[in-house]
Amino acid sequence: MDIHTSADSSADTHDLRHHGDAEVRDEKLTDLAVNVRTNTPPAWLRERIADSLTGLAAYPDGRVARAAVAERHDLPARRVLLTAGAAEAFVLLARALPARRPVVVHPQFTEPEAALRDAGHEVERVLLRERDGFRFDPAAVPEDADLVVIGNPTNPTSVLHPAAAIASLARPGRWLVVDEAFMDAVPGERESLASRTDVPGLVVLRSLTKTWGLAGLRIGYVLAEPETIAALERVQPLWPVSTPALVAAEACMSRAALAEAEEAAHRIGVERAHLLAGLAEFDEVRAVEAAEGPFVLVRIEGADAVREHLRALGFAARRGDTFPGLDRHWLRLAVRDRVTTNRFLQALDQALLLLG
């Protein structure tokens, strides 16, 4: 593992504002670039959202949704803050918390660092390495870091870190921010810290975008100590979460919805194994085998050119070079159903032949 600051010449070579949706915008491509579960939102959730439109004349009231989230995680409501997607939470954290030495563990979702830098922070990076399986060593984090950000499972590596290893980072005077946007895609949500109240400074972020297909609605939430929630709420705009998004949040906390998410997580595991088995047939492709999320990270020499060939063949893959710690030889692939995966593997074979 290596440590870099945002002042390093190497730190600004990645486009932190590039996201998977840019890979499919304005083109009709089979989407393996965006990690939103296909065929979502389900019909029952669309109906709940549609029914909420009759109440748009009133200002949003988040109390019921907040209570539902709190109950789902067995927490008091004062430990919950609803946000316009997890991305808003990163902005709130960057603005509200007076961190002096923030550290972001990479490669991971780039918005936390982008938000911190926009708020005037100088950010240090702990870079995980392929030779270590992109696994995390708590000893790599500087002892005097007062804000640490890590994803679990991490986007884009799909590695699921042990909860105990992450919790060991907690210190008096340190905020420990864990992005669990993809945790509900892990069967049993093992290694989650969401319901823990014994970890000082813990801040857990969740998103309802990925599993439920609500990217366009913008809904997520923060779980943290009441003092931290209050600090974030003070810098949050008035009525930040719309009525339809609040209704969706409440609906996704029901027992039936949680059971559906668990079933989907198991199904994703099966389809991910099929994708990894197919990728293993290519000598040119090296996948991160420890994948536990709804996506896999692969290394292909000349992956940037392969990605362009895949686009010409009708498939969008997420470029990897915008993630600190990765370069142009990496791609992230969303897990899809078996038929789509088989079609993609055929296209990949053609793309590699075109690469020569």
Side-chain angles (χ1 to χ4, degrees):
M1 297 187 197
D2 297 324
I3 299 177
H4 301 278
T5 70
S6 59
D8 292 337
S9 60
S10 63
D12 295 323
T13 59
H14 299 85
D15 181 1
L16 301 180
R17 295 297 190 188
H18 181 88
H19 299 296
D21 61 312
E23 310 282 355
V24 292
R25 195 176 298 146
D26 302 325
E27 292 190 53
K28 292 183 178 180
L29 300 172
T30 299
D31 179 13
L32 275 73
V34 177
N35 293 323
V36 174
R37 185 164 62 103
T38 55
N39 301 317
T40 54
W44 63 264
L45 184 53
R46 292 198 305 270
E47 291 171 5
R48 288 287 298 273
I49 293 169
D51 290 344
S52 75
L53 300 182
T54 60
L56 293 186
Y59 284 95
D61 183 346
R63 288 177 295 178
V64 173
R66 191 173 190 173
V69 171
E71 182 179 0
R72 180 253 194 273
H73 292 288
D74 195 25
L75 295 170
R78 65 182 183 277
R79 280 182 166 266
V80 176
L81 181 67
L82 301 171
T83 59
E88 187 207 9
F90 290 122
V91 174
L92 300 179
L93 289 165
R95 293 177 178 176
L97 304 184
R100 297 180 305 278
R101 191 179 183 186
V103 170
V104 179
V105 179
H106 283 292
Q108 78 152 0
F109 184 50
T110 53
E111 276 303 311
E113 179 172 330
L116 285 163
R117 292 173 64 176
D118 287 347
H121 297 279
E122 184 174 289
V123 180
E124 293 183 54
R125 296 172 176 170
V126 170
L127 300 180
L128 309 186
R129 296 300 188 188
E130 181 192 10
R131 62 175 175 264
D132 303 318
F134 293 107
R135 296 188 182 280
F136 170 63
D137 179 3
V141 174
E143 188 62 32
D144 61 346
D146 58 355
L147 188 151
V148 180
V149 185
I150 185 170
N152 202 34
T154 300
N155 170 22
T157 66
S158 203
V159 171
L160 183 67
H161 307 289
I166 296 177
S168 72
L169 289 172
R171 303 280 189 281
R174 171 186 285 178
W175 290 284
L176 174 57
V177 180
V178 186
D179 177 6
E180 292 192 357
F182 294 99
M183 188 60 79
D184 60 354
V186 176
E189 296 195 1
R190 66 188 192 281
E191 312 304 343
S192 173
L193 292 169
S195 298
R196 295 277 294 272
T197 59
D198 62 328
V199 182
L202 177 64
V203 181
V204 174
L205 277 59
R206 286 292 188 106
S207 170
L208 299 179
T209 294
K210 323 301 181 188
T211 290
W212 297 111
L214 298 175
L217 199 58
R218 310 309 308 141
I219 178 64
Y221 54 89
V222 181
L223 307 172
E225 295 167 342
E227 298 78 9
T228 300
I229 293 296
L232 300 180
E233 203 163 14
R234 282 194 292 270
V235 299
Q236 192 177 35
L238 292 173
W239 309 292
V241 181
S242 70
T243 295
L246 292 171
V247 167
E250 179 190 358
C252 291
M253 298 301 116
S254 70
R255 289 184 180 181
L258 295 177
E260 182 176 326
E262 179 71 7
E263 181 184 349
H266 284 279
R267 190 163 59 250
I268 286 168
V270 173
E271 299 298 354
R272 183 181 58 242
H274 179 70
L275 172 60
L276 287 170
L279 293 170
E281 296 296 318
F282 297 96
D283 293 336
E284 305 93 331
V285 179
R286 189 163 68 244
V288 178
E289 294 289 340
E292 297 276 1
F295 48 89
V296 299
L297 181 66
V298 300
R299 191 184 191 283
I300 307 171
E301 194 71 23
D304 49 351
V306 172
R307 173 175 157 272
E308 291 304 318
H309 290 317
L310 286 170
R311 294 184 69 84
L313 294 166
F315 289 85
R318 171 66 159 90
R319 57 189 281 204
D321 63 319
T322 64
F323 293 101
L326 303 182
D327 57 25
R328 67 184 186 87
H329 302 297
W330 292 91
L331 295 175
R332 190 193 69 196
L333 307 171
V335 174
R336 298 297 187 228
D337 63 89
R338 188 156 303 204
V339 171
T340 302
T341 293
N342 289 343
R343 289 176 48 238
F344 166 75
L345 292 170
Q346 291 175 347
L348 177 60
D349 187 36
Q350 295 180 55
L352 292 170
L353 288 174
L354 289 170
L355 187 65

